[in-house]
mmCIF file of all heavy atoms in Angstrom:
data_model
loop_
_atom_site.group_PDB
_atom_site.id
_atom_site.type_symbol
_atom_site.label_atom_id
_atom_site.label_comp_id
_atom_site.label_asym_id
_atom_site.label_seq_id
_atom_site.Cartn_x
_atom_site.Cartn_y
_atom_site.Cartn_z
ATOM 1 N N TYR K 268 -69.775 -24.067 -18.922
ATOM 2 C CA TYR K 268 -68.491 -23.417 -19.117
ATOM 3 C C TYR K 268 -68.454 -22.178 -18.229
ATOM 4 O O TYR K 268 -69.187 -21.220 -18.447
ATOM 5 C CB TYR K 268 -68.387 -23.055 -20.588
ATOM 6 C CG TYR K 268 -67.098 -22.445 -21.047
ATOM 7 C CD1 TYR K 268 -65.915 -22.593 -20.341
ATOM 8 C CD2 TYR K 268 -67.064 -21.724 -22.235
ATOM 9 C CE1 TYR K 268 -64.743 -22.036 -20.804
ATOM 10 C CE2 TYR K 268 -65.905 -21.173 -22.710
ATOM 11 C CZ TYR K 268 -64.745 -21.321 -21.991
ATOM 12 O OH TYR K 268 -63.591 -20.770 -22.455
ATOM 13 N N THR K 269 -67.612 -22.173 -17.201
ATOM 14 C CA THR K 269 -67.542 -21.087 -16.233
ATOM 15 C C THR K 269 -66.170 -20.436 -16.274
ATOM 16 O O THR K 269 -65.146 -21.123 -16.259
ATOM 17 C CB THR K 269 -67.822 -21.595 -14.805
ATOM 18 O OG1 THR K 269 -69.109 -22.211 -14.778
ATOM 19 C CG2 THR K 269 -67.806 -20.448 -13.807
ATOM 20 N N ILE K 270 -66.156 -19.125 -16.324
ATOM 21 C CA ILE K 270 -64.897 -18.381 -16.364
ATOM 22 C C ILE K 270 -64.940 -17.282 -15.311
ATOM 23 O O ILE K 270 -65.838 -16.444 -15.320
ATOM 24 C CB ILE K 270 -64.655 -17.707 -17.726
ATOM 25 C CG1 ILE K 270 -64.967 -18.651 -18.889
ATOM 26 C CG2 ILE K 270 -63.225 -17.196 -17.816
ATOM 27 C CD1 ILE K 270 -64.999 -17.955 -20.223
ATOM 28 N N GLU K 271 -63.994 -17.293 -14.407
ATOM 29 C CA GLU K 271 -63.839 -16.207 -13.445
ATOM 30 C C GLU K 271 -62.893 -15.168 -14.033
ATOM 31 O O GLU K 271 -61.789 -15.490 -14.478
ATOM 32 C CB GLU K 271 -63.260 -16.740 -12.128
ATOM 33 C CG GLU K 271 -64.142 -17.745 -11.410
ATOM 34 C CD GLU K 271 -65.295 -17.105 -10.680
ATOM 35 O OE1 GLU K 271 -65.289 -15.866 -10.540
ATOM 36 O OE2 GLU K 271 -66.206 -17.844 -10.269
ATOM 37 N N ALA K 272 -63.323 -13.918 -14.056
ATOM 38 C CA ALA K 272 -62.480 -12.858 -14.593
ATOM 39 C C ALA K 272 -61.526 -12.342 -13.519
ATOM 40 O O ALA K 272 -61.843 -12.350 -12.331
ATOM 41 C CB ALA K 272 -63.339 -11.718 -15.117
ATOM 42 N N GLU K 273 -60.384 -11.903 -13.952
ATOM 43 C CA GLU K 273 -59.380 -11.331 -13.046
ATOM 44 C C GLU K 273 -59.411 -9.810 -13.175
ATOM 45 O O GLU K 273 -59.117 -9.265 -14.247
ATOM 46 C CB GLU K 273 -57.992 -11.856 -13.394
ATOM 47 C CG GLU K 273 -56.891 -11.325 -12.492
ATOM 48 C CD GLU K 273 -55.508 -11.829 -12.894
ATOM 49 O OE1 GLU K 273 -55.428 -12.668 -13.814
ATOM 50 O OE2 GLU K 273 -54.512 -11.369 -12.286
ATOM 51 N N ILE K 274 -59.809 -9.131 -12.093
ATOM 52 C CA ILE K 274 -59.930 -7.677 -12.125
ATOM 53 C C ILE K 274 -58.549 -7.046 -12.333
ATOM 54 O O ILE K 274 -57.588 -7.347 -11.615
ATOM 55 C CB ILE K 274 -60.559 -7.138 -10.833
ATOM 56 C CG1 ILE K 274 -61.904 -7.814 -10.559
ATOM 57 C CG2 ILE K 274 -60.720 -5.620 -10.897
ATOM 58 C CD1 ILE K 274 -62.954 -7.554 -11.583
ATOM 59 N N GLN K 275 -58.444 -6.153 -13.295
ATOM 60 C CA GLN K 275 -57.200 -5.443 -13.556
ATOM 61 C C GLN K 275 -57.263 -3.999 -13.048
ATOM 62 O O GLN K 275 -56.356 -3.524 -12.390
ATOM 63 C CB GLN K 275 -56.915 -5.444 -15.065
ATOM 64 C CG GLN K 275 -56.695 -6.831 -15.638
ATOM 65 C CD GLN K 275 -55.509 -7.530 -14.993
ATOM 66 O OE1 GLN K 275 -54.383 -7.021 -15.020
ATOM 67 N NE2 GLN K 275 -55.758 -8.683 -14.395
ATOM 68 N N LYS K 276 -58.325 -3.317 -13.378
ATOM 69 C CA LYS K 276 -58.535 -1.944 -12.913
ATOM 70 C C LYS K 276 -59.902 -1.910 -12.240
ATOM 71 O O LYS K 276 -60.926 -2.085 -12.884
ATOM 72 C CB LYS K 276 -58.477 -0.966 -14.082
ATOM 73 C CG LYS K 276 -58.739 0.485 -13.697
ATOM 74 C CD LYS K 276 -58.637 1.393 -14.926
ATOM 75 C CE LYS K 276 -58.931 2.839 -14.570
ATOM 76 N NZ LYS K 276 -60.345 3.041 -14.179
ATOM 77 N N GLN K 277 -59.915 -1.687 -10.930
ATOM 78 C CA GLN K 277 -61.155 -1.834 -10.176
ATOM 79 C C GLN K 277 -62.030 -0.597 -10.215
ATOM 80 O O GLN K 277 -63.244 -0.683 -10.381
ATOM 81 C CB GLN K 277 -60.861 -2.198 -8.722
ATOM 82 C CG GLN K 277 -62.129 -2.484 -7.912
ATOM 83 C CD GLN K 277 -61.832 -2.905 -6.492
ATOM 84 O OE1 GLN K 277 -60.922 -2.382 -5.861
ATOM 85 N NE2 GLN K 277 -62.603 -3.856 -5.989
ATOM 86 N N GLU K 278 -61.477 0.571 -10.059
ATOM 87 C CA GLU K 278 -62.288 1.781 -9.970
ATOM 88 C C GLU K 278 -62.743 2.243 -11.353
ATOM 89 O O GLU K 278 -62.048 2.053 -12.352
ATOM 90 C CB GLU K 278 -61.510 2.896 -9.286
ATOM 91 C CG GLU K 278 -61.296 2.650 -7.800
ATOM 92 C CD GLU K 278 -60.782 3.883 -7.080
ATOM 93 O OE1 GLU K 278 -60.378 4.860 -7.761
ATOM 94 O OE2 GLU K 278 -60.788 3.892 -5.829
ATOM 95 N N PHE K 279 -63.927 2.837 -11.391
ATOM 96 C CA PHE K 279 -64.423 3.398 -12.642
ATOM 97 C C PHE K 279 -65.234 4.644 -12.348
ATOM 98 O O PHE K 279 -65.759 4.831 -11.243
ATOM 99 C CB PHE K 279 -65.273 2.383 -13.414
ATOM 100 C CG PHE K 279 -66.558 1.989 -12.717
ATOM 101 C CD1 PHE K 279 -67.725 2.715 -12.916
ATOM 102 C CD2 PHE K 279 -66.594 0.901 -11.855
ATOM 103 C CE1 PHE K 279 -68.903 2.362 -12.274
ATOM 104 C CE2 PHE K 279 -67.767 0.538 -11.202
ATOM 105 C CZ PHE K 279 -68.929 1.277 -11.414
ATOM 106 N N SER K 280 -65.324 5.502 -13.335
ATOM 107 C CA SER K 280 -66.171 6.688 -13.271
ATOM 108 C C SER K 280 -66.627 6.967 -14.695
ATOM 109 O O SER K 280 -66.388 6.169 -15.603
ATOM 110 C CB SER K 280 -65.396 7.883 -12.682
ATOM 111 O OG SER K 280 -64.228 8.122 -13.433
ATOM 112 N N VAL K 281 -67.293 8.093 -14.905
ATOM 113 C CA VAL K 281 -67.762 8.410 -16.250
ATOM 114 C C VAL K 281 -66.564 8.512 -17.197
ATOM 115 O O VAL K 281 -65.574 9.172 -16.897
ATOM 116 C CB VAL K 281 -68.554 9.736 -16.233
ATOM 117 C CG1 VAL K 281 -68.954 10.155 -17.652
ATOM 118 C CG2 VAL K 281 -69.793 9.587 -15.362
ATOM 119 N N ALA K 282 -66.636 7.785 -18.310
ATOM 120 C CA ALA K 282 -65.604 7.791 -19.351
ATOM 121 C C ALA K 282 -64.288 7.153 -18.901
ATOM 122 O O ALA K 282 -63.275 7.284 -19.577
ATOM 123 C CB ALA K 282 -65.335 9.209 -19.857
ATOM 124 N N ASP K 283 -64.288 6.449 -17.779
ATOM 125 C CA ASP K 283 -63.071 5.787 -17.293
ATOM 126 C C ASP K 283 -63.448 4.402 -16.781
ATOM 127 O O ASP K 283 -63.696 4.215 -15.588
ATOM 128 C CB ASP K 283 -62.433 6.626 -16.185
ATOM 129 C CG ASP K 283 -61.099 6.043 -15.721
ATOM 130 O OD1 ASP K 283 -60.514 5.224 -16.460
ATOM 131 O OD2 ASP K 283 -60.656 6.413 -14.615
ATOM 132 N N PRO K 284 -63.502 3.392 -17.672
ATOM 133 C CA PRO K 284 -64.027 2.079 -17.283
ATOM 134 C C PRO K 284 -63.115 1.307 -16.343
ATOM 135 O O PRO K 284 -61.893 1.499 -16.322
ATOM 136 C CB PRO K 284 -64.145 1.332 -18.626
ATOM 137 C CG PRO K 284 -63.988 2.366 -19.687
ATOM 138 C CD PRO K 284 -63.163 3.458 -19.091
ATOM 139 N N ALA K 285 -63.721 0.423 -15.579
ATOM 140 C CA ALA K 285 -62.984 -0.646 -14.914
ATOM 141 C C ALA K 285 -62.745 -1.743 -15.936
ATOM 142 O O ALA K 285 -63.485 -1.877 -16.916
ATOM 143 C CB ALA K 285 -63.784 -1.192 -13.741
ATOM 144 N N THR K 286 -61.697 -2.560 -15.718
ATOM 145 C CA THR K 286 -61.389 -3.632 -16.663
ATOM 146 C C THR K 286 -61.057 -4.918 -15.922
ATOM 147 O O THR K 286 -60.658 -4.910 -14.755
ATOM 148 C CB THR K 286 -60.199 -3.260 -17.568
ATOM 149 O OG1 THR K 286 -59.051 -2.992 -16.753
ATOM 150 C CG2 THR K 286 -60.516 -2.047 -18.425
ATOM 151 N N ALA K 287 -61.227 -6.020 -16.629
ATOM 152 C CA ALA K 287 -60.895 -7.335 -16.082
ATOM 153 C C ALA K 287 -60.504 -8.248 -17.231
ATOM 154 O O ALA K 287 -60.992 -8.106 -18.358
ATOM 155 C CB ALA K 287 -62.078 -7.920 -15.312
ATOM 156 N N ASN K 288 -59.607 -9.198 -16.948
ATOM 157 C CA ASN K 288 -59.177 -10.170 -17.946
ATOM 158 C C ASN K 288 -60.022 -11.429 -17.862
ATOM 159 O O ASN K 288 -60.286 -11.946 -16.771
ATOM 160 C CB ASN K 288 -57.706 -10.546 -17.743
ATOM 161 C CG ASN K 288 -56.765 -9.420 -18.089
ATOM 162 O OD1 ASN K 288 -57.138 -8.495 -18.823
ATOM 163 N ND2 ASN K 288 -55.542 -9.471 -17.575
ATOM 164 N N VAL K 289 -60.428 -11.941 -19.002
ATOM 165 C CA VAL K 289 -61.153 -13.207 -19.099
ATOM 166 C C VAL K 289 -60.259 -14.177 -19.853
ATOM 167 O O VAL K 289 -60.099 -14.083 -21.061
ATOM 168 C CB VAL K 289 -62.494 -13.042 -19.831
ATOM 169 C CG1 VAL K 289 -63.199 -14.377 -19.973
ATOM 170 C CG2 VAL K 289 -63.376 -12.049 -19.095
ATOM 171 N N ALA K 290 -59.662 -15.080 -19.126
ATOM 172 C CA ALA K 290 -58.737 -16.048 -19.724
ATOM 173 C C ALA K 290 -59.274 -17.455 -19.514
ATOM 174 O O ALA K 290 -59.235 -17.967 -18.387
ATOM 175 C CB ALA K 290 -57.342 -15.920 -19.108
ATOM 176 N N PRO K 291 -59.814 -18.107 -20.532
ATOM 177 C CA PRO K 291 -60.328 -19.471 -20.373
ATOM 178 C C PRO K 291 -59.261 -20.409 -19.833
ATOM 179 O O PRO K 291 -58.076 -20.271 -20.135
ATOM 180 C CB PRO K 291 -60.740 -19.847 -21.797
ATOM 181 C CG PRO K 291 -60.987 -18.534 -22.472
ATOM 182 C CD PRO K 291 -59.993 -17.597 -21.883
ATOM 183 N N GLN K 292 -59.676 -21.348 -19.025
ATOM 184 C CA GLN K 292 -58.736 -22.245 -18.360
ATOM 185 C C GLN K 292 -58.414 -23.458 -19.226
ATOM 186 O O GLN K 292 -59.295 -24.062 -19.827
ATOM 187 C CB GLN K 292 -59.321 -22.695 -17.023
ATOM 188 C CG GLN K 292 -59.565 -21.547 -16.064
ATOM 189 C CD GLN K 292 -60.236 -21.995 -14.776
ATOM 190 O OE1 GLN K 292 -60.475 -23.184 -14.589
ATOM 191 N NE2 GLN K 292 -60.523 -21.049 -13.905
ATOM 192 N N ASP K 293 -57.158 -23.809 -19.276
ATOM 193 C CA ASP K 293 -56.754 -25.021 -19.982
ATOM 194 C C ASP K 293 -57.374 -26.236 -19.300
ATOM 195 O O ASP K 293 -57.605 -26.242 -18.089
ATOM 196 C CB ASP K 293 -55.221 -25.153 -19.972
ATOM 197 C CG ASP K 293 -54.561 -24.089 -20.835
ATOM 198 O OD1 ASP K 293 -55.137 -23.759 -21.873
ATOM 199 O OD2 ASP K 293 -53.483 -23.596 -20.445
ATOM 200 N N GLY K 294 -57.623 -27.256 -20.072
ATOM 201 C CA GLY K 294 -58.144 -28.486 -19.501
ATOM 202 C C GLY K 294 -59.643 -28.517 -19.400
ATOM 203 O O GLY K 294 -60.224 -29.477 -18.892
ATOM 204 N N SER K 295 -60.336 -27.450 -19.892
ATOM 205 C CA SER K 295 -61.785 -27.474 -19.841
ATOM 206 C C SER K 295 -62.322 -28.611 -20.696
ATOM 207 O O SER K 295 -61.742 -28.986 -21.711
ATOM 208 C CB SER K 295 -62.347 -26.152 -20.372
ATOM 209 O OG SER K 295 -63.726 -26.240 -20.521
ATOM 210 N N GLU K 296 -63.450 -29.177 -20.280
ATOM 211 C CA GLU K 296 -64.087 -30.249 -21.038
ATOM 212 C C GLU K 296 -64.863 -29.713 -22.242
ATOM 213 O O GLU K 296 -65.405 -30.480 -23.039
ATOM 214 C CB GLU K 296 -65.030 -31.051 -20.131
ATOM 215 C CG GLU K 296 -64.330 -31.792 -19.007
ATOM 216 C CD GLU K 296 -65.314 -32.586 -18.156
ATOM 217 O OE1 GLU K 296 -66.489 -32.650 -18.538
ATOM 218 O OE2 GLU K 296 -64.891 -33.136 -17.128
ATOM 219 N N LEU K 297 -64.924 -28.400 -22.357
ATOM 220 C CA LEU K 297 -65.671 -27.789 -23.447
ATOM 221 C C LEU K 297 -64.707 -27.451 -24.574
ATOM 222 O O LEU K 297 -63.610 -26.970 -24.337
ATOM 223 C CB LEU K 297 -66.359 -26.520 -22.941
ATOM 224 C CG LEU K 297 -67.153 -26.717 -21.650
ATOM 225 C CD1 LEU K 297 -67.571 -25.374 -21.085
ATOM 226 C CD2 LEU K 297 -68.362 -27.575 -21.917
ATOM 227 N N ALA K 298 -65.066 -27.711 -25.804
ATOM 228 C CA ALA K 298 -64.160 -27.464 -26.925
ATOM 229 C C ALA K 298 -64.826 -26.611 -27.994
ATOM 230 O O ALA K 298 -66.026 -26.688 -28.226
ATOM 231 C CB ALA K 298 -63.701 -28.785 -27.516
ATOM 232 N N LEU K 299 -64.040 -25.773 -28.634
ATOM 233 C CA LEU K 299 -64.559 -24.826 -29.589
ATOM 234 C C LEU K 299 -65.074 -25.473 -30.868
ATOM 235 O O LEU K 299 -65.868 -24.879 -31.587
ATOM 236 C CB LEU K 299 -63.451 -23.832 -29.951
ATOM 237 C CG LEU K 299 -63.041 -22.890 -28.810
ATOM 238 C CD1 LEU K 299 -61.822 -22.103 -29.215
ATOM 239 C CD2 LEU K 299 -64.173 -21.976 -28.458
ATOM 240 N N ASN K 300 -64.642 -26.676 -31.171
ATOM 241 C CA ASN K 300 -65.014 -27.252 -32.458
ATOM 242 C C ASN K 300 -66.484 -27.574 -32.592
ATOM 243 O O ASN K 300 -66.953 -27.920 -33.669
ATOM 244 C CB ASN K 300 -64.174 -28.509 -32.753
ATOM 245 C CG ASN K 300 -64.344 -29.573 -31.688
ATOM 246 O OD1 ASN K 300 -65.239 -29.487 -30.866
ATOM 247 N ND2 ASN K 300 -63.464 -30.572 -31.695
ATOM 248 N N ALA K 301 -67.261 -27.482 -31.518
ATOM 249 C CA ALA K 301 -68.695 -27.748 -31.601
ATOM 250 C C ALA K 301 -69.512 -26.461 -31.584
ATOM 251 O O ALA K 301 -70.736 -26.504 -31.589
ATOM 252 C CB ALA K 301 -69.129 -28.650 -30.457
ATOM 253 N N LEU K 302 -68.849 -25.300 -31.541
ATOM 254 C CA LEU K 302 -69.575 -24.048 -31.400
ATOM 255 C C LEU K 302 -70.382 -23.672 -32.633
ATOM 256 O O LEU K 302 -71.361 -22.955 -32.539
ATOM 257 C CB LEU K 302 -68.602 -22.910 -31.094
ATOM 258 C CG LEU K 302 -68.071 -22.833 -29.661
ATOM 259 C CD1 LEU K 302 -67.064 -21.718 -29.554
ATOM 260 C CD2 LEU K 302 -69.190 -22.640 -28.680
ATOM 261 N N ALA K 303 -69.990 -24.138 -33.778
ATOM 262 C CA ALA K 303 -70.583 -23.659 -35.015
ATOM 263 C C ALA K 303 -72.093 -23.849 -35.065
ATOM 264 O O ALA K 303 -72.815 -23.014 -35.597
ATOM 265 C CB ALA K 303 -69.926 -24.350 -36.200
ATOM 266 N N ASP K 304 -72.580 -24.958 -34.536
ATOM 267 C CA ASP K 304 -74.017 -25.213 -34.611
ATOM 268 C C ASP K 304 -74.693 -25.184 -33.253
ATOM 269 O O ASP K 304 -75.800 -25.671 -33.099
ATOM 270 C CB ASP K 304 -74.283 -26.565 -35.285
ATOM 271 C CG ASP K 304 -73.707 -27.733 -34.475
ATOM 272 O OD1 ASP K 304 -72.946 -27.461 -33.526
ATOM 273 O OD2 ASP K 304 -74.021 -28.890 -34.806
ATOM 274 N N ALA K 305 -74.037 -24.592 -32.262
ATOM 275 C CA ALA K 305 -74.617 -24.544 -30.916
ATOM 276 C C ALA K 305 -75.387 -23.241 -30.722
ATOM 277 O O ALA K 305 -74.933 -22.172 -31.101
ATOM 278 C CB ALA K 305 -73.518 -24.660 -29.867
ATOM 279 N N ASP K 306 -76.547 -23.354 -30.115
ATOM 280 C CA ASP K 306 -77.359 -22.192 -29.762
ATOM 281 C C ASP K 306 -77.068 -21.865 -28.304
ATOM 282 O O ASP K 306 -77.712 -22.377 -27.402
ATOM 283 C CB ASP K 306 -78.837 -22.512 -29.982
ATOM 284 C CG ASP K 306 -79.735 -21.340 -29.611
ATOM 285 O OD1 ASP K 306 -79.225 -20.207 -29.537
ATOM 286 O OD2 ASP K 306 -80.935 -21.568 -29.387
ATOM 287 N N LEU K 307 -76.095 -20.998 -28.085
ATOM 288 C CA LEU K 307 -75.589 -20.781 -26.729
ATOM 289 C C LEU K 307 -76.425 -19.764 -25.959
ATOM 290 O O LEU K 307 -77.014 -18.851 -26.520
ATOM 291 C CB LEU K 307 -74.144 -20.292 -26.785
ATOM 292 C CG LEU K 307 -73.134 -21.218 -27.453
ATOM 293 C CD1 LEU K 307 -71.763 -20.583 -27.426
ATOM 294 C CD2 LEU K 307 -73.115 -22.566 -26.762
ATOM 295 N N ASP K 308 -76.436 -19.954 -24.664
ATOM 296 C CA ASP K 308 -77.015 -18.981 -23.748
ATOM 297 C C ASP K 308 -76.003 -18.801 -22.628
ATOM 298 O O ASP K 308 -75.041 -19.572 -22.493
ATOM 299 C CB ASP K 308 -78.353 -19.477 -23.199
ATOM 300 C CG ASP K 308 -79.209 -18.347 -22.619
ATOM 301 O OD1 ASP K 308 -78.686 -17.227 -22.460
ATOM 302 O OD2 ASP K 308 -80.390 -18.593 -22.324
ATOM 303 N N GLY K 309 -76.193 -17.790 -21.798
ATOM 304 C CA GLY K 309 -75.269 -17.590 -20.692
ATOM 305 C C GLY K 309 -75.577 -16.325 -19.930
ATOM 306 O O GLY K 309 -76.422 -15.514 -20.325
ATOM 307 N N ILE K 310 -74.907 -16.182 -18.805
ATOM 308 C CA ILE K 310 -75.077 -15.002 -17.957
ATOM 309 C C ILE K 310 -73.720 -14.501 -17.491
ATOM 310 O O ILE K 310 -72.751 -15.267 -17.397
ATOM 311 C CB ILE K 310 -75.956 -15.294 -16.722
ATOM 312 C CG1 ILE K 310 -75.426 -16.505 -15.941
ATOM 313 C CG2 ILE K 310 -77.410 -15.493 -17.121
ATOM 314 C CD1 ILE K 310 -76.195 -16.818 -14.664
#
């Protein structure tokens, strides 16, 4: 399951974070109904 984030605010400094949107794509072959018993890993 791969998600590319869309950068919204690029610059950051102390106490002023950068932000990005993570919007899962429709049509993915992965479905949430199996998450309950899955031991997930990721980066």
Side-chain angles (χ1 to χ4, degrees):
Y268 184 21
T269 302
I270 315 169
E271 297 283 348
E273 181 182 355
I274 305 296
Q275 297 300 302
K276 178 179 178 293
Q277 185 177 39
E278 290 192 348
F279 65 89
S280 56
V281 175
D283 185 18
T286 59
N288 290 340
V289 178
Q292 298 176 3
D293 291 324
S295 171
E296 295 181 7
L297 310 169
L299 292 172
N300 59 13
L302 283 176
D304 63 349
D306 179 19
L307 300 180
D308 199 349
I310 53 177

